Amino acid sequence: MIDAYDRPRLQWYTPEEFEKRFIYNPLDPPRPRSVLPKTWERRASNSFDPSVRITEDRRTLLRRITKLWNGDVVCGVHLLADHCPTIKHITHDLDRTELNRLYYNTRLGHDTLLAFGDADWFETTTGFLKSTTLFRKQAWYDLNDKARTHINESEAYPTLRGDPHEGLTHRVTVGLVRLHDTIRGWNGTSYYDWNGYTIDALANDQRGQSIAREVLTGHNNWKLHRSTYRKLRELDRQGAKPIAVFDTRRTAYRVFNHWHNSDGLGTLPNGTFDSEFSISAGRDRIQNAYDRDEHNWAVADWTTTWRLKQATLGADAPELSRDQITSVNW
């Protein structure tokens, strides 16, 4: 019999290589969850510690991340000018082992994390920081709600700029929008309060047209997404040109489809997006829906964080000095 399947492949590891790659000793693996004693389950669950002791190194890192988040140069690096630097740039002189507690409960061993990690009752994210994929690489300095609350309530740190609930991707995308406007000589600002709304970025182009941008990221708070559409619709009625900026193309089509399927919101002329069209094709459909009077659609255009990054910091973007980038206020 001949089949089309690939031949099985084997990869050999020394015990040390295996433990480094899979984070447990192959000669002493964690026991399957189904055979773990109940006492161990209780012990692991009770080991949850909601507090994180703020040592000097931990405080220093959080202060540096806050300044980086606010658009400052920290340890010689900048969020936009250095295309989201690695965490190593701002931790080079700190005790990295001590900093691990800002990410997870270090009192739990790797075997416990592997054994219980998928259980609903098990908590590991008891720290302040998390990793986010941004500019197609890992940025290990995203802040969770606990971190933002701690920073904003303590005099040990500068106050965080921006929406108190936004993540790093949202924050950086707002910075890219402001850089985009500055390059073109548009008069703009970020987090502009208007008629009870906060607009992520508002600018006037050379012709005096107001351009309002809202940043949307891939979460499942659909009520918030619907609220954002209503904000964009109201901005459109007031004469601004509403533009949505999504963290990914996938998020864009999920949100567009949700808006189309929600009663009382917009209607796409060709119905929902049934596949992930190219960004160019997707923009054409959105622009067509906005331009045609017979259709009820309030979003004039859209782009993604990556596209915006390429347009402002990519190889084909206008040439900018480092000082020009770091001086942008967002």
Side-chain angles (χ1 to χ4, degrees), residues 269-270 287-297:
N270 296 318
Q287 290 168 1
N288 180 57
Y290 179 79
D291 291 337
R292 294 171 61 180
D293 293 337
E294 63 269 28
H295 296 299
N296 177 27
W297 188 256

Side-chain angles (χ1 to χ4, degrees), residues 83-148:
H83 302 202
C84 286
T86 68
I87 189 69
K88 293 180 180 179
H89 285 98
I90 57 176
T91 58
H92 61 92
D93 58 340
L94 304 177
D95 183 342
R96 297 183 186 179
T97 301
E98 184 176 318
L99 300 179
N100 286 339
R101 184 61 186 90
L102 290 174
Y103 292 93
Y104 62 94
N105 190 341
T106 52
R107 295 193 308 169
L108 302 175
H110 282 304
D111 55 350
T112 306
L113 293 171
L114 287 170
F116 294 106
D118 295 331
D120 294 337
W121 49 264
F122 186 68
E123 281 283 356
T124 61
T125 55
T126 62
F128 286 175
L129 304 178
K130 58 185 178 178
S131 173
T132 293
T133 301
L134 190 56
F135 296 170
R136 300 182 179 178
K137 59 184 179 182
Q138 294 300 111
W140 286 88
Y141 40 84
D142 201 354
L143 302 171
N144 60 23
D145 286 336
K146 182 177 180 179
R148 287 190 288 265

